Amino acid sequence: GLALAAARDYKRVGDGDEGPNTGGMGAYSPVPEIGPAELDELLETVHLPVLAELAKRGSPFTGLLYAGLMLTADGPRVLEFNCRFGDPETQAILPRIEGDLLGALFAAAQGDLSETELTISDRATVTVAVAAEHYPESSDSGTPIEGVEAAEAGGAVVFHAGTAERDGRLVTNGGRILNVTATADTLEEARARAYAACELISFNGARYRRDIAEGAVRVGS
């Protein structure tokens, strides 16, 4: 197996974890509370026992095993497993990976990662989801989006989620419209860059949480 970096996501739609759950309103990586020792412990207690049990049952797992966890006073609790990358956590993890990710995915599909090595950068990433006005209750369609090019020119990576192109214009086409990711040497700087990019993007009713990675910046400082 090959472990990637940990990330924290934000499920509630509003600042301070208020409002209904969503598909994810943002994420950041690294997570200050999860260093190498804590990551190894999570693998030993969560991921590896699942892989061992599947192999024991004659159904060895090949692919990507994502664990959604909640860290509690009584230790980690598993909320879900997915056989895919998590969204938007992936947008915070992949920019930190150094090496041939496609080659690693192919090797995983072939069932042999023995010759594969990926390293994780020391840099930090923060991703902020820019959503439709009434998300998650409803989505938005056809509203023109401005500023993506300006955000990218400033160094952010803007991942398209609920977008479409109509008559040559970029427009909304979903609930979570864009995921804006910034990378820097520290979480504080990555957070500042991500929000600076979000401020350059506009469409009628655009909303995003203002507190992504806020607590982590305090912890990491």
Side-chain angles (χ1 to χ4, degrees), residues 195-211:
Y195 278 110
C198 286
E199 289 174 9
L200 295 173
I201 296 171
S202 63
F203 57 87
N204 190 35
R207 67 185 299 187
Y208 52 89
R209 283 185 59 159
R210 309 281 173 158
D211 63 347

mmCIF file with all atom_site columns, all heavy atoms in Angstrom, residues 195-211:
data_model
loop_
_atom_site.group_PDB
_atom_site.id
_atom_site.type_symbol
_atom_site.label_atom_id
_atom_site.label_alt_id
_atom_site.label_comp_id
_atom_site.label_asym_id
_atom_site.label_entity_id
_atom_site.label_seq_id
_atom_site.pdbx_PDB_ins_code
_atom_site.Cartn_x
_atom_site.Cartn_y
_atom_site.Cartn_z
_atom_site.occupancy
_atom_site.B_iso_or_equiv
_atom_site.pdbx_formal_charge
_atom_site.auth_seq_id
_atom_site.auth_comp_id
_atom_site.auth_asym_id
_atom_site.auth_atom_id
_atom_site.pdbx_PDB_model_num
ATOM 1   N N   . TYR A 1 195 ? -8.313  32.686 -0.421  1.00 0.00 ? 195 TYR A N   1
ATOM 2   C CA  . TYR A 1 195 ? -9.397  33.657 -0.275  1.00 0.00 ? 195 TYR A CA  1
ATOM 3   C C   . TYR A 1 195 ? -9.208  34.869 -1.176  1.00 0.00 ? 195 TYR A C   1
ATOM 4   O O   . TYR A 1 195 ? -10.193 35.446 -1.663  1.00 0.00 ? 195 TYR A O   1
ATOM 5   C CB  . TYR A 1 195 ? -9.561  34.058 1.190   1.00 0.00 ? 195 TYR A CB  1
ATOM 6   C CG  . TYR A 1 195 ? -10.377 33.039 1.949   1.00 0.00 ? 195 TYR A CG  1
ATOM 7   C CD1 . TYR A 1 195 ? -9.806  32.216 2.907   1.00 0.00 ? 195 TYR A CD1 1
ATOM 8   C CD2 . TYR A 1 195 ? -11.728 32.868 1.672   1.00 0.00 ? 195 TYR A CD2 1
ATOM 9   C CE1 . TYR A 1 195 ? -10.550 31.261 3.579   1.00 0.00 ? 195 TYR A CE1 1
ATOM 10  C CE2 . TYR A 1 195 ? -12.489 31.915 2.335   1.00 0.00 ? 195 TYR A CE2 1
ATOM 11  C CZ  . TYR A 1 195 ? -11.891 31.122 3.286   1.00 0.00 ? 195 TYR A CZ  1
ATOM 12  O OH  . TYR A 1 195 ? -12.650 30.170 3.933   1.00 0.00 ? 195 TYR A OH  1
ATOM 13  N N   . ALA A 1 196 ? -7.973  35.260 -1.414  1.00 0.00 ? 196 ALA A N   1
ATOM 14  C CA  . ALA A 1 196 ? -7.732  36.345 -2.373  1.00 0.00 ? 196 ALA A CA  1
ATOM 15  C C   . ALA A 1 196 ? -8.233  35.943 -3.758  1.00 0.00 ? 196 ALA A C   1
ATOM 16  O O   . ALA A 1 196 ? -8.815  36.760 -4.494  1.00 0.00 ? 196 ALA A O   1
ATOM 17  C CB  . ALA A 1 196 ? -6.245  36.686 -2.410  1.00 0.00 ? 196 ALA A CB  1
ATOM 18  N N   . ALA A 1 197 ? -8.026  34.669 -4.115  1.00 0.00 ? 197 ALA A N   1
ATOM 19  C CA  . ALA A 1 197 ? -8.509  34.177 -5.413  1.00 0.00 ? 197 ALA A CA  1
ATOM 20  C C   . ALA A 1 197 ? -10.034 34.127 -5.442  1.00 0.00 ? 197 ALA A C   1
ATOM 21  O O   . ALA A 1 197 ? -10.656 34.482 -6.444  1.00 0.00 ? 197 ALA A O   1
ATOM 22  C CB  . ALA A 1 197 ? -7.917  32.799 -5.692  1.00 0.00 ? 197 ALA A CB  1
ATOM 23  N N   . CYS A 1 198 ? -10.648 33.681 -4.329  1.00 0.00 ? 198 CYS A N   1
ATOM 24  C CA  . CYS A 1 198 ? -12.113 33.617 -4.280  1.00 0.00 ? 198 CYS A CA  1
ATOM 25  C C   . CYS A 1 198 ? -12.733 34.992 -4.476  1.00 0.00 ? 198 CYS A C   1
ATOM 26  O O   . CYS A 1 198 ? -13.798 35.132 -5.101  1.00 0.00 ? 198 CYS A O   1
ATOM 27  C CB  . CYS A 1 198 ? -12.575 33.036 -2.944  1.00 0.00 ? 198 CYS A CB  1
ATOM 28  S SG  . CYS A 1 198 ? -12.319 31.265 -2.774  1.00 0.00 ? 198 CYS A SG  1
ATOM 29  N N   . GLU A 1 199 ? -12.078 36.013 -3.946  1.00 0.00 ? 199 GLU A N   1
ATOM 30  C CA  . GLU A 1 199 ? -12.616 37.366 -4.068  1.00 0.00 ? 199 GLU A CA  1
ATOM 31  C C   . GLU A 1 199 ? -12.598 37.872 -5.508  1.00 0.00 ? 199 GLU A C   1
ATOM 32  O O   . GLU A 1 199 ? -13.325 38.806 -5.847  1.00 0.00 ? 199 GLU A O   1
ATOM 33  C CB  . GLU A 1 199 ? -11.826 38.310 -3.156  1.00 0.00 ? 199 GLU A CB  1
ATOM 34  C CG  . GLU A 1 199 ? -12.101 38.071 -1.676  1.00 0.00 ? 199 GLU A CG  1
ATOM 35  C CD  . GLU A 1 199 ? -11.207 38.896 -0.770  1.00 0.00 ? 199 GLU A CD  1
ATOM 36  O OE1 . GLU A 1 199 ? -10.495 39.785 -1.300  1.00 0.00 ? 199 GLU A OE1 1
ATOM 37  O OE2 . GLU A 1 199 ? -11.217 38.661 0.445   1.00 0.00 ? 199 GLU A OE2 1
ATOM 38  N N   . LEU A 1 200 ? -11.762 37.255 -6.342  1.00 0.00 ? 200 LEU A N   1
ATOM 39  C CA  . LEU A 1 200 ? -11.691 37.656 -7.752  1.00 0.00 ? 200 LEU A CA  1
ATOM 40  C C   . LEU A 1 200 ? -12.780 36.985 -8.594  1.00 0.00 ? 200 LEU A C   1
ATOM 41  O O   . LEU A 1 200 ? -13.036 37.405 -9.718  1.00 0.00 ? 200 LEU A O   1
ATOM 42  C CB  . LEU A 1 200 ? -10.317 37.310 -8.324  1.00 0.00 ? 200 LEU A CB  1
ATOM 43  C CG  . LEU A 1 200 ? -9.129  38.056 -7.712  1.00 0.00 ? 200 LEU A CG  1
ATOM 44  C CD1 . LEU A 1 200 ? -7.817  37.486 -8.251  1.00 0.00 ? 200 LEU A CD1 1
ATOM 45  C CD2 . LEU A 1 200 ? -9.215  39.555 -7.998  1.00 0.00 ? 200 LEU A CD2 1
ATOM 46  N N   . ILE A 1 201 ? -13.387 35.939 -8.048  1.00 0.00 ? 201 ILE A N   1
ATOM 47  C CA  . ILE A 1 201 ? -14.402 35.181 -8.784  1.00 0.00 ? 201 ILE A CA  1
ATOM 48  C C   . ILE A 1 201 ? -15.785 35.660 -8.382  1.00 0.00 ? 201 ILE A C   1
ATOM 49  O O   . ILE A 1 201 ? -16.066 35.853 -7.194  1.00 0.00 ? 201 ILE A O   1
ATOM 50  C CB  . ILE A 1 201 ? -14.257 33.675 -8.499  1.00 0.00 ? 201 ILE A CB  1
ATOM 51  C CG1 . ILE A 1 201 ? -12.909 33.168 -9.036  1.00 0.00 ? 201 ILE A CG1 1
ATOM 52  C CG2 . ILE A 1 201 ? -15.406 32.883 -9.100  1.00 0.00 ? 201 ILE A CG2 1
ATOM 53  C CD1 . ILE A 1 201 ? -12.578 31.748 -8.628  1.00 0.00 ? 201 ILE A CD1 1
ATOM 54  N N   . SER A 1 202 ? -16.645 35.869 -9.344  1.00 0.00 ? 202 SER A N   1
ATOM 55  C CA  . SER A 1 202 ? -17.987 36.361 -9.017  1.00 0.00 ? 202 SER A CA  1
ATOM 56  C C   . SER A 1 202 ? -19.034 35.791 -9.955  1.00 0.00 ? 202 SER A C   1
ATOM 57  O O   . SER A 1 202 ? -18.779 35.564 -11.140 1.00 0.00 ? 202 SER A O   1
ATOM 58  C CB  . SER A 1 202 ? -18.019 37.897 -9.075  1.00 0.00 ? 202 SER A CB  1
ATOM 59  O OG  . SER A 1 202 ? -17.745 38.349 -10.393 1.00 0.00 ? 202 SER A OG  1
ATOM 60  N N   . PHE A 1 203 ? -20.182 35.486 -9.365  1.00 0.00 ? 203 PHE A N   1
ATOM 61  C CA  . PHE A 1 203 ? -21.411 35.237 -10.114 1.00 0.00 ? 203 PHE A CA  1
ATOM 62  C C   . PHE A 1 203 ? -22.554 35.534 -9.166  1.00 0.00 ? 203 PHE A C   1
ATOM 63  O O   . PHE A 1 203 ? -22.378 35.529 -7.937  1.00 0.00 ? 203 PHE A O   1
ATOM 64  C CB  . PHE A 1 203 ? -21.471 33.804 -10.670 1.00 0.00 ? 203 PHE A CB  1
ATOM 65  C CG  . PHE A 1 203 ? -21.338 32.713 -9.633  1.00 0.00 ? 203 PHE A CG  1
ATOM 66  C CD1 . PHE A 1 203 ? -22.440 32.230 -8.948  1.00 0.00 ? 203 PHE A CD1 1
ATOM 67  C CD2 . PHE A 1 203 ? -20.097 32.150 -9.363  1.00 0.00 ? 203 PHE A CD2 1
ATOM 68  C CE1 . PHE A 1 203 ? -22.314 31.220 -8.011  1.00 0.00 ? 203 PHE A CE1 1
ATOM 69  C CE2 . PHE A 1 203 ? -19.957 31.133 -8.426  1.00 0.00 ? 203 PHE A CE2 1
ATOM 70  C CZ  . PHE A 1 203 ? -21.070 30.668 -7.742  1.00 0.00 ? 203 PHE A CZ  1
ATOM 71  N N   . ASN A 1 204 ? -23.691 35.836 -9.693  1.00 0.00 ? 204 ASN A N   1
ATOM 72  C CA  . ASN A 1 204 ? -24.821 36.247 -8.873  1.00 0.00 ? 204 ASN A CA  1
ATOM 73  C C   . ASN A 1 204 ? -25.174 35.166 -7.853  1.00 0.00 ? 204 ASN A C   1
ATOM 74  O O   . ASN A 1 204 ? -25.476 34.040 -8.218  1.00 0.00 ? 204 ASN A O   1
ATOM 75  C CB  . ASN A 1 204 ? -26.035 36.544 -9.759  1.00 0.00 ? 204 ASN A CB  1
ATOM 76  C CG  . ASN A 1 204 ? -27.163 37.196 -8.986  1.00 0.00 ? 204 ASN A CG  1
ATOM 77  O OD1 . ASN A 1 204 ? -26.916 37.986 -8.079  1.00 0.00 ? 204 ASN A OD1 1
ATOM 78  N ND2 . ASN A 1 204 ? -28.390 36.858 -9.326  1.00 0.00 ? 204 ASN A ND2 1
ATOM 79  N N   . GLY A 1 205 ? -25.104 35.516 -6.559  1.00 0.00 ? 205 GLY A N   1
ATOM 80  C CA  . GLY A 1 205 ? -25.465 34.576 -5.502  1.00 0.00 ? 205 GLY A CA  1
ATOM 81  C C   . GLY A 1 205 ? -24.324 33.718 -4.999  1.00 0.00 ? 205 GLY A C   1
ATOM 82  O O   . GLY A 1 205 ? -24.545 32.854 -4.152  1.00 0.00 ? 205 GLY A O   1
ATOM 83  N N   . ALA A 1 206 ? -23.100 33.924 -5.479  1.00 0.00 ? 206 ALA A N   1
ATOM 84  C CA  . ALA A 1 206 ? -21.972 33.090 -5.059  1.00 0.00 ? 206 ALA A CA  1
ATOM 85  C C   . ALA A 1 206 ? -21.796 33.128 -3.547  1.00 0.00 ? 206 ALA A C   1
ATOM 86  O O   . ALA A 1 206 ? -21.889 34.186 -2.919  1.00 0.00 ? 206 ALA A O   1
ATOM 87  C CB  . ALA A 1 206 ? -20.685 33.562 -5.742  1.00 0.00 ? 206 ALA A CB  1
ATOM 88  N N   . ARG A 1 207 ? -21.555 31.958 -2.961  1.00 0.00 ? 207 ARG A N   1
ATOM 89  C CA  . ARG A 1 207 ? -21.326 31.884 -1.516  1.00 0.00 ? 207 ARG A CA  1
ATOM 90  C C   . ARG A 1 207 ? -20.182 30.932 -1.239  1.00 0.00 ? 207 ARG A C   1
ATOM 91  O O   . ARG A 1 207 ? -19.979 29.946 -1.949  1.00 0.00 ? 207 ARG A O   1
ATOM 92  C CB  . ARG A 1 207 ? -22.593 31.415 -0.789  1.00 0.00 ? 207 ARG A CB  1
ATOM 93  C CG  . ARG A 1 207 ? -22.967 29.972 -1.093  1.00 0.00 ? 207 ARG A CG  1
ATOM 94  C CD  . ARG A 1 207 ? -24.282 29.545 -0.473  1.00 0.00 ? 207 ARG A CD  1
ATOM 95  N NE  . ARG A 1 207 ? -24.270 29.634 1.006   1.00 0.00 ? 207 ARG A NE  1
ATOM 96  C CZ  . ARG A 1 207 ? -25.271 29.173 1.754   1.00 0.00 ? 207 ARG A CZ  1
ATOM 97  N NH1 . ARG A 1 207 ? -26.333 28.618 1.196   1.00 0.00 ? 207 ARG A NH1 1
ATOM 98  N NH2 . ARG A 1 207 ? -25.207 29.267 3.062   1.00 0.00 ? 207 ARG A NH2 1
ATOM 99  N N   . TYR A 1 208 ? -19.428 31.229 -0.193  1.00 0.00 ? 208 TYR A N   1
ATOM 100 C CA  . TYR A 1 208 ? -18.385 30.311 0.256   1.00 0.00 ? 208 TYR A CA  1
ATOM 101 C C   . TYR A 1 208 ? -18.114 30.589 1.725   1.00 0.00 ? 208 TYR A C   1
ATOM 102 O O   . TYR A 1 208 ? -18.337 31.689 2.232   1.00 0.00 ? 208 TYR A O   1
ATOM 103 C CB  . TYR A 1 208 ? -17.105 30.433 -0.570  1.00 0.00 ? 208 TYR A CB  1
ATOM 104 C CG  . TYR A 1 208 ? -16.519 31.819 -0.721  1.00 0.00 ? 208 TYR A CG  1
ATOM 105 C CD1 . TYR A 1 208 ? -15.616 32.321 0.202   1.00 0.00 ? 208 TYR A CD1 1
ATOM 106 C CD2 . TYR A 1 208 ? -16.854 32.630 -1.809  1.00 0.00 ? 208 TYR A CD2 1
ATOM 107 C CE1 . TYR A 1 208 ? -15.056 33.579 0.071   1.00 0.00 ? 208 TYR A CE1 1
ATOM 108 C CE2 . TYR A 1 208 ? -16.308 33.890 -1.963  1.00 0.00 ? 208 TYR A CE2 1
ATOM 109 C CZ  . TYR A 1 208 ? -15.412 34.366 -1.021  1.00 0.00 ? 208 TYR A CZ  1
ATOM 110 O OH  . TYR A 1 208 ? -14.871 35.620 -1.154  1.00 0.00 ? 208 TYR A OH  1
ATOM 111 N N   . ARG A 1 209 ? -17.663 29.538 2.407   1.00 0.00 ? 209 ARG A N   1
ATOM 112 C CA  . ARG A 1 209 ? -17.315 29.680 3.815   1.00 0.00 ? 209 ARG A CA  1
ATOM 113 C C   . ARG A 1 209 ? -16.061 30.542 3.968   1.00 0.00 ? 209 ARG A C   1
ATOM 114 O O   . ARG A 1 209 ? -15.138 30.436 3.169   1.00 0.00 ? 209 ARG A O   1
ATOM 115 C CB  . ARG A 1 209 ? -17.115 28.311 4.474   1.00 0.00 ? 209 ARG A CB  1
ATOM 116 C CG  . ARG A 1 209 ? -18.429 27.615 4.771   1.00 0.00 ? 209 ARG A CG  1
ATOM 117 C CD  . ARG A 1 209 ? -18.254 26.326 5.538   1.00 0.00 ? 209 ARG A CD  1
ATOM 118 N NE  . ARG A 1 209 ? -17.583 26.509 6.832   1.00 0.00 ? 209 ARG A NE  1
ATOM 119 C CZ  . ARG A 1 209 ? -17.672 25.629 7.835   1.00 0.00 ? 209 ARG A CZ  1
ATOM 120 N NH1 . ARG A 1 209 ? -18.408 24.537 7.702   1.00 0.00 ? 209 ARG A NH1 1
ATOM 121 N NH2 . ARG A 1 209 ? -17.037 25.840 8.969   1.00 0.00 ? 209 ARG A NH2 1
ATOM 122 N N   . ARG A 1 210 ? -16.059 31.367 5.010   1.00 0.00 ? 210 ARG A N   1
ATOM 123 C CA  . ARG A 1 210 ? -14.930 32.269 5.241   1.00 0.00 ? 210 ARG A CA  1
ATOM 124 C C   . ARG A 1 210 ? -13.961 31.719 6.278   1.00 0.00 ? 210 ARG A C   1
ATOM 125 O O   . ARG A 1 210 ? -12.986 32.397 6.614   1.00 0.00 ? 210 ARG A O   1
ATOM 126 C CB  . ARG A 1 210 ? -15.457 33.628 5.723   1.00 0.00 ? 210 ARG A CB  1
ATOM 127 C CG  . ARG A 1 210 ? -16.557 34.223 4.844   1.00 0.00 ? 210 ARG A CG  1
ATOM 128 C CD  . ARG A 1 210 ? -16.006 34.863 3.614   1.00 0.00 ? 210 ARG A CD  1
ATOM 129 N NE  . ARG A 1 210 ? -17.066 35.289 2.687   1.00 0.00 ? 210 ARG A NE  1
ATOM 130 C CZ  . ARG A 1 210 ? -16.907 36.225 1.767   1.00 0.00 ? 210 ARG A CZ  1
ATOM 131 N NH1 . ARG A 1 210 ? -15.739 36.820 1.635   1.00 0.00 ? 210 ARG A NH1 1
ATOM 132 N NH2 . ARG A 1 210 ? -17.896 36.551 0.955   1.00 0.00 ? 210 ARG A NH2 1
ATOM 133 N N   . ASP A 1 211 ? -14.231 30.526 6.800   1.00 0.00 ? 211 ASP A N   1
ATOM 134 C CA  . ASP A 1 211 ? -13.425 30.021 7.918   1.00 0.00 ? 211 ASP A CA  1
ATOM 135 C C   . ASP A 1 211 ? -12.673 28.738 7.608   1.00 0.00 ? 211 ASP A C   1
ATOM 136 O O   . ASP A 1 211 ? -12.249 28.032 8.526   1.00 0.00 ? 211 ASP A O   1
ATOM 137 C CB  . ASP A 1 211 ? -14.304 29.828 9.150   1.00 0.00 ? 211 ASP A CB  1
ATOM 138 C CG  . ASP A 1 211 ? -15.401 28.784 8.929   1.00 0.00 ? 211 ASP A CG  1
ATOM 139 O OD1 . ASP A 1 211 ? -15.648 28.387 7.769   1.00 0.00 ? 211 ASP A OD1 1
ATOM 140 O OD2 . ASP A 1 211 ? -16.011 28.354 9.936   1.00 0.00 ? 211 ASP A OD2 1
#
